[in-house]
Amino acid sequence: MTLKSRLSQPNILVAPGIYDGLTAAIAADAGFEALYLSGAAVAYTRLGRPDIGLTTMSEMADTMALIRDRVALPVIIDADTGFGNALNAQRTMRTYERAGANALQVEDQTYPKRCGHLADKSLIPCAEMVGKIAAMADVRASDETLIIARTDAIAVEGFEAAIDRASAYLEAGADALFIEAPRTGDELARVAATLRGRAPLMANMVEGGATPIQSAGDLQAMGFDLVIFPGGIVRALAHAAQGYYRSLHAHGSNTPFAGRMFDFDGLNACIGTPEVLATGAKFAGGGK
């Protein structure tokens, strides 16, 4: 089933955030149907920096290609602002498609952008974003590659302006809509009540962010079709890593932390080392 057809199904699609082949493989093994390659998560992990537009298009594309080599699940990729004007956005579309992305999320912030849950965001004109979306739709190689149009207008221009922008983006060729950072549960519900039925709707759950955390079931009841948890895995792993490094520094040994980590065989089982070695042995013997 393609991502496009899955979003037409009644049950909400939950896409966990990933940032490399390891997290993609673990998420796939957990049973998810789709994954979300988060630009913020890549900035956090590859750069050790905040989500303020420092990550480049080529870094994201390289990451996407490595993930596609590891898993077959549909991947939604964060395309930020398209990394420039309409021509840059077209290049981003072509590059991400070749890397194996199934959907591109593109937003209407100025470039460089910042995390949607940080203050002091600014937007490009609606007409410029409309042109950017149309330009991306014009060059995509497959109609199965989706454009998810995101607007950050709630924090900058207000709720009604966000709805107006979303409507314009849909007319320009967007396949799904993402109103970033509703500030209350009521505002989140208003997004769904206003736009449901016009296109698949995406919600973003950021721990400690501007939008109150809701369960996938509650979001489905509101009318959302897709929910992402983009940075949760980084927050979980960073918390674990902080404890690990502090323990190692304090004790000079991993023994006190052993109950909270894989041993050598455990990690190899997780990443499929026995299966990979068996495949190598098969083909070393002539492939029979």
Short mmCIF file of all heavy atoms in Angstrom, two decimals, residues 165-215:
data_model
loop_
_atom_site.label_atom_id
_atom_site.label_comp_id
_atom_site.label_asym_id
_atom_site.label_seq_id
_atom_site.Cartn_x
_atom_site.Cartn_y
_atom_site.Cartn_z
N ARG A 165 -4.09 30.52 4.41
CA ARG A 165 -2.88 30.07 3.73
C ARG A 165 -3.00 28.59 3.36
O ARG A 165 -2.65 28.18 2.25
CB ARG A 165 -1.66 30.30 4.62
CG ARG A 165 -1.11 31.73 4.58
CD ARG A 165 0.07 31.88 5.54
NE ARG A 165 0.72 33.18 5.44
CZ ARG A 165 1.84 33.41 4.75
NH1 ARG A 165 2.44 32.41 4.11
NH2 ARG A 165 2.39 34.61 4.70
N ALA A 166 -3.48 27.77 4.28
CA ALA A 166 -3.63 26.34 4.00
C ALA A 166 -4.52 26.11 2.79
O ALA A 166 -4.24 25.26 1.94
CB ALA A 166 -4.17 25.63 5.22
N SER A 167 -5.60 26.87 2.70
CA SER A 167 -6.52 26.73 1.57
C SER A 167 -5.82 27.09 0.26
O SER A 167 -5.98 26.41 -0.77
CB SER A 167 -7.75 27.63 1.77
OG SER A 167 -8.46 27.25 2.94
N ALA A 168 -5.03 28.16 0.28
CA ALA A 168 -4.30 28.57 -0.92
C ALA A 168 -3.27 27.52 -1.32
O ALA A 168 -3.06 27.25 -2.51
CB ALA A 168 -3.62 29.92 -0.68
N TYR A 169 -2.62 26.91 -0.33
CA TYR A 169 -1.60 25.91 -0.63
C TYR A 169 -2.23 24.65 -1.24
O TYR A 169 -1.65 24.00 -2.11
CB TYR A 169 -0.82 25.55 0.64
CG TYR A 169 -0.13 26.73 1.29
CD1 TYR A 169 0.32 26.65 2.61
CD2 TYR A 169 0.05 27.93 0.61
CE1 TYR A 169 0.96 27.72 3.21
CE2 TYR A 169 0.67 29.01 1.22
CZ TYR A 169 1.12 28.90 2.52
OH TYR A 169 1.73 29.98 3.12
N LEU A 170 -3.43 24.33 -0.78
CA LEU A 170 -4.14 23.19 -1.35
C LEU A 170 -4.49 23.45 -2.81
O LEU A 170 -4.31 22.59 -3.67
CB LEU A 170 -5.41 22.93 -0.53
CG LEU A 170 -6.13 21.62 -0.74
CD1 LEU A 170 -5.23 20.43 -0.45
CD2 LEU A 170 -7.39 21.56 0.11
N GLU A 171 -4.92 24.64 -3.10
CA GLU A 171 -5.23 25.02 -4.48
C GLU A 171 -3.98 24.97 -5.36
O GLU A 171 -4.06 24.69 -6.57
CB GLU A 171 -5.81 26.43 -4.52
CG GLU A 171 -7.18 26.57 -3.87
CD GLU A 171 -8.29 26.02 -4.75
OE1 GLU A 171 -8.12 26.02 -5.98
OE2 GLU A 171 -9.30 25.56 -4.19
N ALA A 172 -2.81 25.23 -4.78
CA ALA A 172 -1.57 25.27 -5.55
C ALA A 172 -1.03 23.89 -5.90
O ALA A 172 -0.13 23.77 -6.73
CB ALA A 172 -0.51 26.04 -4.78
N GLY A 173 -1.56 22.85 -5.25
CA GLY A 173 -1.12 21.50 -5.58
C GLY A 173 -0.67 20.65 -4.40
O GLY A 173 -0.20 19.53 -4.60
N ALA A 174 -0.82 21.17 -3.18
CA ALA A 174 -0.46 20.37 -2.01
C ALA A 174 -1.41 19.18 -1.88
O ALA A 174 -2.60 19.28 -2.21
CB ALA A 174 -0.51 21.22 -0.75
N ASP A 175 -0.89 18.06 -1.39
CA ASP A 175 -1.68 16.85 -1.23
C ASP A 175 -2.19 16.67 0.19
O ASP A 175 -3.15 15.92 0.42
CB ASP A 175 -0.83 15.62 -1.59
CG ASP A 175 -0.30 15.70 -2.99
OD1 ASP A 175 -1.09 15.54 -3.93
OD2 ASP A 175 0.92 15.97 -3.15
N ALA A 176 -1.55 17.31 1.16
CA ALA A 176 -1.94 17.21 2.56
C ALA A 176 -1.58 18.53 3.24
O ALA A 176 -0.74 19.28 2.73
CB ALA A 176 -1.25 16.04 3.25
N LEU A 177 -2.19 18.78 4.39
CA LEU A 177 -2.01 20.06 5.07
C LEU A 177 -1.52 19.85 6.50
O LEU A 177 -1.89 18.89 7.17
CB LEU A 177 -3.33 20.84 5.11
CG LEU A 177 -3.91 21.26 3.75
CD1 LEU A 177 -5.29 21.87 3.93
CD2 LEU A 177 -2.97 22.22 3.04
N PHE A 178 -0.70 20.79 6.94
CA PHE A 178 -0.10 20.75 8.28
C PHE A 178 -0.09 22.17 8.84
O PHE A 178 0.67 23.01 8.38
CB PHE A 178 1.32 20.17 8.16
CG PHE A 178 2.17 20.25 9.40
CD1 PHE A 178 1.62 20.36 10.67
CD2 PHE A 178 3.55 20.19 9.28
CE1 PHE A 178 2.43 20.42 11.80
CE2 PHE A 178 4.37 20.24 10.39
CZ PHE A 178 3.81 20.36 11.66
N ILE A 179 -0.98 22.42 9.78
CA ILE A 179 -1.02 23.71 10.49
C ILE A 179 -0.15 23.55 11.72
O ILE A 179 -0.53 22.86 12.67
CB ILE A 179 -2.44 24.12 10.89
CG1 ILE A 179 -3.41 23.95 9.71
CG2 ILE A 179 -2.46 25.55 11.42
CD1 ILE A 179 -3.12 24.80 8.53
N GLU A 180 1.00 24.19 11.73
CA GLU A 180 1.97 23.99 12.81
C GLU A 180 1.61 24.79 14.06
O GLU A 180 1.13 25.93 13.99
CB GLU A 180 3.37 24.41 12.32
CG GLU A 180 4.47 24.38 13.39
CD GLU A 180 4.78 22.98 13.92
OE1 GLU A 180 3.85 22.35 14.47
OE2 GLU A 180 5.94 22.54 13.80
N ALA A 181 1.84 24.14 15.20
CA ALA A 181 1.83 24.75 16.53
C ALA A 181 0.54 25.42 16.96
O ALA A 181 0.56 26.55 17.44
CB ALA A 181 3.00 25.73 16.64
N PRO A 182 -0.62 24.74 16.82
CA PRO A 182 -1.80 25.23 17.54
C PRO A 182 -1.48 25.34 19.03
O PRO A 182 -0.78 24.49 19.58
CB PRO A 182 -2.85 24.16 17.26
CG PRO A 182 -2.40 23.51 15.99
CD PRO A 182 -0.90 23.51 16.07
N ARG A 183 -2.00 26.37 19.68
CA ARG A 183 -1.54 26.69 21.03
C ARG A 183 -2.37 26.07 22.14
O ARG A 183 -1.95 26.06 23.30
CB ARG A 183 -1.50 28.21 21.19
CG ARG A 183 -0.50 28.88 20.25
CD ARG A 183 -0.78 30.34 20.02
NE ARG A 183 -2.03 30.53 19.27
CZ ARG A 183 -2.40 31.67 18.68
NH1 ARG A 183 -1.61 32.73 18.78
NH2 ARG A 183 -3.54 31.77 18.02
N THR A 184 -3.54 25.54 21.80
CA THR A 184 -4.41 24.90 22.79
C THR A 184 -5.08 23.69 22.16
O THR A 184 -5.10 23.54 20.93
CB THR A 184 -5.51 25.87 23.27
OG1 THR A 184 -6.37 26.17 22.15
CG2 THR A 184 -4.92 27.15 23.85
N GLY A 185 -5.66 22.85 23.01
CA GLY A 185 -6.41 21.73 22.49
C GLY A 185 -7.59 22.18 21.66
O GLY A 185 -7.93 21.57 20.64
N ASP A 186 -8.24 23.28 22.08
CA ASP A 186 -9.38 23.81 21.33
C ASP A 186 -8.93 24.30 19.95
O ASP A 186 -9.63 24.08 18.95
CB ASP A 186 -10.02 24.96 22.09
CG ASP A 186 -10.82 24.49 23.31
OD1 ASP A 186 -11.11 23.27 23.37
OD2 ASP A 186 -11.13 25.32 24.18
N GLU A 187 -7.75 24.95 19.89
CA GLU A 187 -7.25 25.43 18.60
C GLU A 187 -6.91 24.26 17.68
O GLU A 187 -7.16 24.31 16.47
CB GLU A 187 -6.03 26.32 18.84
CG GLU A 187 -5.82 27.37 17.76
CD GLU A 187 -4.86 28.45 18.19
OE1 GLU A 187 -3.70 28.11 18.49
OE2 GLU A 187 -5.26 29.62 18.22
N LEU A 188 -6.36 23.21 18.26
CA LEU A 188 -6.05 22.00 17.49
C LEU A 188 -7.33 21.41 16.91
O LEU A 188 -7.39 21.05 15.72
CB LEU A 188 -5.35 20.99 18.39
CG LEU A 188 -4.76 19.74 17.76
CD1 LEU A 188 -3.63 20.08 16.81
CD2 LEU A 188 -4.26 18.79 18.86
N ALA A 189 -8.37 21.35 17.72
CA ALA A 189 -9.65 20.81 17.26
C ALA A 189 -10.26 21.70 16.18
O ALA A 189 -10.90 21.21 15.24
CB ALA A 189 -10.61 20.67 18.43
N ARG A 190 -10.08 23.03 16.30
CA ARG A 190 -10.60 23.95 15.29
C ARG A 190 -9.92 23.74 13.94
O ARG A 190 -10.55 23.87 12.89
CB ARG A 190 -10.39 25.40 15.74
CG ARG A 190 -11.39 25.91 16.75
CD ARG A 190 -11.06 27.34 17.12
NE ARG A 190 -11.24 28.26 15.99
CZ ARG A 190 -10.71 29.47 15.93
NH1 ARG A 190 -9.90 29.89 16.92
NH2 ARG A 190 -10.95 30.24 14.88
N VAL A 191 -8.64 23.43 13.95
CA VAL A 191 -7.94 23.13 12.70
C VAL A 191 -8.63 21.99 11.97
O VAL A 191 -8.95 22.07 10.78
CB VAL A 191 -6.46 22.79 12.96
CG1 VAL A 191 -5.82 22.20 11.72
CG2 VAL A 191 -5.69 24.01 13.42
N ALA A 192 -8.87 20.90 12.71
CA ALA A 192 -9.49 19.73 12.11
C ALA A 192 -10.92 20.02 11.68
O ALA A 192 -11.35 19.62 10.58
CB ALA A 192 -9.44 18.56 13.08
N ALA A 193 -11.67 20.72 12.52
CA ALA A 193 -13.07 21.00 12.20
C ALA A 193 -13.18 21.88 10.96
O ALA A 193 -14.13 21.74 10.17
CB ALA A 193 -13.75 21.68 13.39
N THR A 194 -12.21 22.76 10.77
CA THR A 194 -12.26 23.69 9.65
C THR A 194 -11.81 23.05 8.34
O THR A 194 -12.37 23.34 7.27
CB THR A 194 -11.37 24.91 9.94
OG1 THR A 194 -11.77 25.51 11.18
CG2 THR A 194 -11.49 25.96 8.84
N LEU A 195 -10.83 22.16 8.40
CA LEU A 195 -10.19 21.66 7.18
C LEU A 195 -10.47 20.19 6.87
O LEU A 195 -10.16 19.74 5.76
CB LEU A 195 -8.68 21.87 7.26
CG LEU A 195 -8.21 23.33 7.28
CD1 LEU A 195 -6.72 23.40 7.57
CD2 LEU A 195 -8.53 24.03 5.96
N ARG A 196 -11.03 19.45 7.79
CA ARG A 196 -11.22 18.01 7.57
C ARG A 196 -12.09 17.77 6.35
O ARG A 196 -13.03 18.50 6.06
CB ARG A 196 -11.82 17.33 8.79
CG ARG A 196 -13.23 17.75 9.13
CD ARG A 196 -13.69 17.20 10.47
NE ARG A 196 -13.63 15.75 10.50
CZ ARG A 196 -13.92 15.03 11.59
NH1 ARG A 196 -14.22 15.63 12.74
NH2 ARG A 196 -13.88 13.72 11.54
N GLY A 197 -11.71 16.74 5.60
CA GLY A 197 -12.44 16.40 4.39
C GLY A 197 -11.90 17.06 3.14
O GLY A 197 -12.20 16.62 2.02
N ARG A 198 -11.11 18.12 3.29
CA ARG A 198 -10.57 18.81 2.12
C ARG A 198 -9.26 18.18 1.65
O ARG A 198 -8.95 18.20 0.46
CB ARG A 198 -10.34 20.29 2.44
CG ARG A 198 -11.62 21.04 2.80
CD ARG A 198 -11.36 22.51 2.97
NE ARG A 198 -10.84 23.11 1.74
CZ ARG A 198 -10.36 24.35 1.67
NH1 ARG A 198 -10.33 25.11 2.74
NH2 ARG A 198 -9.90 24.82 0.52
N ALA A 199 -8.50 17.64 2.60
CA ALA A 199 -7.23 16.97 2.31
C ALA A 199 -6.82 16.25 3.59
O ALA A 199 -7.30 16.58 4.68
CB ALA A 199 -6.16 17.98 1.92
N PRO A 200 -5.94 15.25 3.49
CA PRO A 200 -5.41 14.65 4.71
C PRO A 200 -4.76 15.71 5.59
O PRO A 200 -4.05 16.59 5.10
CB PRO A 200 -4.39 13.64 4.19
CG PRO A 200 -4.86 13.30 2.81
CD PRO A 200 -5.44 14.58 2.27
N LEU A 201 -4.99 15.62 6.89
CA LEU A 201 -4.48 16.60 7.85
C LEU A 201 -3.43 15.96 8.74
O LEU A 201 -3.63 14.86 9.26
CB LEU A 201 -5.61 17.15 8.72
CG LEU A 201 -6.76 17.86 8.00
CD1 LEU A 201 -7.79 18.33 9.02
CD2 LEU A 201 -6.25 19.02 7.17
N MET A 202 -2.32 16.65 8.93
CA MET A 202 -1.23 16.17 9.77
C MET A 202 -1.14 16.97 11.06
O MET A 202 -1.31 18.20 11.05
CB MET A 202 0.10 16.26 9.02
CG MET A 202 1.27 15.66 9.77
SD MET A 202 2.76 15.58 8.73
CE MET A 202 3.71 16.95 9.38
N ALA A 203 -0.89 16.29 12.15
CA ALA A 203 -0.64 16.92 13.44
C ALA A 203 0.78 16.59 13.88
O ALA A 203 1.33 15.55 13.52
CB ALA A 203 -1.64 16.44 14.48
N ASN A 204 1.34 17.48 14.69
CA ASN A 204 2.73 17.35 15.14
C ASN A 204 2.76 17.38 16.66
O ASN A 204 2.33 18.37 17.27
CB ASN A 204 3.55 18.51 14.57
CG ASN A 204 5.01 18.46 14.97
OD1 ASN A 204 5.53 17.42 15.33
ND2 ASN A 204 5.68 19.60 14.90
N MET A 205 3.25 16.31 17.26
CA MET A 205 3.33 16.24 18.71
C MET A 205 4.78 16.40 19.17
O MET A 205 5.63 15.54 18.90
CB MET A 205 2.78 14.89 19.20
CG MET A 205 1.27 14.70 18.94
SD MET A 205 0.22 15.80 19.93
CE MET A 205 -0.25 17.05 18.72
N VAL A 206 5.05 17.53 19.81
CA VAL A 206 6.40 17.87 20.29
C VAL A 206 6.35 17.96 21.81
O VAL A 206 5.66 18.83 22.37
CB VAL A 206 6.88 19.21 19.69
CG1 VAL A 206 8.24 19.59 20.26
CG2 VAL A 206 6.95 19.11 18.17
N GLU A 207 7.08 17.09 22.46
CA GLU A 207 7.09 17.06 23.92
C GLU A 207 7.60 18.40 24.47
O GLU A 207 8.74 18.78 24.21
CB GLU A 207 7.96 15.91 24.42
CG GLU A 207 7.51 14.54 23.94
CD GLU A 207 7.94 14.17 22.53
OE1 GLU A 207 8.69 14.95 21.90
OE2 GLU A 207 7.51 13.12 22.03
N GLY A 208 6.74 19.10 25.23
CA GLY A 208 7.14 20.39 25.77
C GLY A 208 6.96 21.54 24.81
O GLY A 208 7.35 22.68 25.11
N GLY A 209 6.39 21.29 23.62
CA GLY A 209 6.20 22.33 22.61
C GLY A 209 4.94 23.14 22.85
O GLY A 209 4.28 23.04 23.90
N ALA A 210 4.57 23.92 21.84
CA ALA A 210 3.44 24.85 21.97
C ALA A 210 2.10 24.14 21.98
O ALA A 210 1.13 24.65 22.54
CB ALA A 210 3.49 25.86 20.83
N THR A 211 2.02 22.96 21.36
CA THR A 211 0.74 22.25 21.24
C THR A 211 0.62 21.20 22.33
O THR A 211 1.54 20.39 22.51
CB THR A 211 0.65 21.55 19.86
OG1 THR A 211 0.85 22.53 18.83
CG2 THR A 211 -0.69 20.89 19.68
N PRO A 212 -0.50 21.18 23.07
CA PRO A 212 -0.69 20.15 24.09
C PRO A 212 -0.64 18.75 23.47
O PRO A 212 -1.22 18.52 22.40
CB PRO A 212 -2.07 20.44 24.66
CG PRO A 212 -2.35 21.87 24.32
CD PRO A 212 -1.65 22.12 23.02
N ILE A 213 0.06 17.85 24.11
CA ILE A 213 0.20 16.49 23.59
C ILE A 213 -1.15 15.78 23.62
O ILE A 213 -1.87 15.81 24.63
CB ILE A 213 1.24 15.69 24.40
CG1 ILE A 213 2.63 16.30 24.24
CG2 ILE A 213 1.23 14.22 23.99
CD1 ILE A 213 3.21 16.13 22.85
N GLN A 214 -1.48 15.15 22.50
CA GLN A 214 -2.70 14.36 22.37
C GLN A 214 -2.32 12.97 21.90
O GLN A 214 -1.31 12.78 21.22
CB GLN A 214 -3.64 15.00 21.34
CG GLN A 214 -3.94 16.47 21.55
CD GLN A 214 -4.92 16.72 22.66
OE1 GLN A 214 -5.79 15.87 22.91
NE2 GLN A 214 -4.82 17.86 23.33
N SER A 215 -3.16 11.99 22.21
CA SER A 215 -2.92 10.65 21.71
C SER A 215 -3.37 10.54 20.27
O SER A 215 -4.17 11.35 19.77
CB SER A 215 -3.68 9.63 22.55
OG SER A 215 -5.08 9.72 22.29
#
